Amino acid sequence: MAHIVATRPLLDGALDALRETHTVTVHDPDPSGDRTEEDLIALAAEADVLLSVLADPLTERVFAACPHLQMVAQYAVGVDNIDLDAATEHGVVVSHTPGVLTDATADQAWALLLAAARHVRAADQYVRDGHFERWETTVLLGMELADKTLGIVGLGRIGQAVARRALGFGMDVVYHNRRRANPTVERQTGARYVSLDNLLATSDVVSLHCPHNEDSHHLIDAAALERMKETALLVNTARGAVVDEAALVEALGEGEIAGAGLDVFEHEPDVHPGLLDQDRVVLAPHLGSATTRARRRMADMVVESIQAVLQGAESVPHRAA
Ligand code: DGY
């Protein structure tokens, strides 16, 4: 019987299959905020399996202090909170949940894109504040998307799903990726490969879908923002630190770009105060995968991976390291 420790509760009943044969301890979120390394060491010191979320810093220090740990099952596709090399060195298997949150996250990118393009936040406030006294000819004019260019940074699963949706809006799609996508993907998405500089200079909307790593840290910095059109919107449903948030606040303030839709932040859960009072910035608390279907399927994958490790299976499904 193994001891499985979850750092947050999942949907009701999600871990029932594991409870039949193992001890499962589920912790409530810490009221003081996201957990620190020390908190995780305290939670996981006796655990065989840790069920983690993207806010849990799983560093070399945590792995070194948790000698029983066989596995980290990450309830997310992104694993940038986990030191994968340290996990491997300490013999800890890491799994994640790719694929099942693709559509949910692509939908969220589009929700933010449309909200920023059509001033949905300001329009809602306008009505609530009682300003809707007559139909106006010039109030809250937005950007029409047909014939505009959508620039996708990172044409992986989610980037492709965002591109496919753009076809329905009549947008021209360009993309930049570390490696050029294969011709089938380019044909299905209608996306054209360009350099990052070209994408930034020509896109009316730039949407980020690359993982966060050393290469993509602050990929969108002051210089990149300066290259964008003054009328352009930035959408980020990837990871906050792909954008230099202070530079973004500056660029919005200076009118170097027109607005942004942000689901992720550089120092989550903190949000740069300079983003809070910008009219054309729409904010969400990292909701990319937040649909019941996606979260249920993520839980099923986590359970499947944990069962495989605890049963000593030769190959672990959804393995990240
Ligand atoms: C993930 O799974 O990495 C997403 O960011 C969650 O929304």
Side-chain angles (χ1 to χ4, degrees), residues 3-302:
H3 188 192
I4 300 162
V5 171
T7 66
R8 304 273 166 99
L10 307 190
L11 298 181
D12 280 352
L15 302 179
D16 285 358
L18 296 173
R19 288 182 210 278
E20 285 168 19
T21 33
H22 303 289
T23 305
V24 180
T25 308
V26 177
H27 292 272
D28 285 326
D30 194 314
S32 62
D34 282 334
R35 292 199 160 90
T36 61
E37 288 173 303
E38 286 73 25
D39 297 333
L40 290 165
I41 291 169
L43 294 191
E46 303 299 323
D48 300 297
V49 174
L50 184 69
L51 204 165
S52 59
V53 298
L54 47 84
D56 297 329
L58 292 169
T59 59
E60 147 70 26
R61 214 177 126 219
V62 176
F63 289 115
C66 299
H68 304 287
L69 208 55
Q70 294 175 46
M71 176 186 198
V72 167
Q74 167 96 335
Y75 188 66
V77 61
V79 286
D80 56 322
N81 57 308
I82 304 173
D83 183 337
L84 296 180
D85 291 338
T88 304
E89 253 169 55
H90 288 274
V92 177
V93 171
V94 178
S95 71
H96 65 150
T97 63
V100 295
L101 45 79
T102 302
D103 286 320
T105 308
D107 288 352
Q108 176 71 350
W110 272 92
L112 294 170
L113 191 169
L114 287 163
R118 296 303 296 271
H119 303 280
V120 170
R121 194 180 78 83
D124 178 274
Q125 200 61 49
Y126 183 87
V127 175
R128 287 175 204 272
D129 289 347
H131 297 308
F132 187 27
E133 288 166 347
R134 69 190 74 80
W135 184 80
E136 300 278 3
T137 52
T138 55
V139 165
L140 295 171
L141 301 186
M143 180 202 285
E144 194 165 309
L145 297 175
D147 304 324
K148 294 286 193 307
T149 299
L150 171 64
I152 293 185
V153 179
L155 198 70
R157 288 187 197 85
I158 298 171
Q160 289 174 37
V162 169
R164 283 195 300 272
R165 284 157 175 72
L167 298 174
F169 284 87
M171 293 186 86
D172 189 28
V173 184
V174 296
Y175 78 96
H176 183 74
N177 213 36
R178 265 186 319 163
R179 271 191 308 271
R180 188 169 172 169
N182 68 49
T184 312
V185 168
E186 290 191 351
R187 204 174 40 254
Q188 284 168 350
T189 56
R192 213 160 23 86
Y193 180 77
V194 293
S195 69
L196 183 61
D197 275 357
N198 182 310
L199 181 148
L200 293 168
T202 60
S203 296
D204 298 290
V205 180
V206 173
S207 193
L208 306 177
H209 301 288
C210 54
H212 175 242
N213 52 38
E214 273 175 21
D215 295 335
S216 65
H217 184 76
H218 285 188
L219 184 70
I220 305 301
D221 58 6
L225 290 158
E226 211 175 304
R227 255 174 240 129
M228 288 172 64
K229 295 183 183 181
E230 286 180 6
T231 50
L233 304 172
L234 177 71
V235 176
N236 190 5
T237 52
R239 284 292 182 268
V242 174
V243 177
D244 178 343
E245 211 161 271
L248 174 61
V249 169
E250 184 94 9
L252 287 161
E254 296 294 318
E256 285 173 17
I257 68 168
L262 306 173
D263 192 48
V264 290
F265 302 91
E266 192 171 352
H267 305 289
E268 288 179 21
D270 297 333
V271 176
H272 193 299
L275 292 171
L276 300 176
D277 55 6
Q278 306 265 357
D279 259 359
R280 198 119 178 240
V281 175
V282 187
L283 309 171
H286 203 145
L287 295 179
S289 66
T291 66
T292 310
R293 183 169 87 149
R295 292 278 165 91
R296 180 69 65 195
R297 291 165 90 188
M298 288 161 69
D300 290 347
M301 286 172 92
V302 157

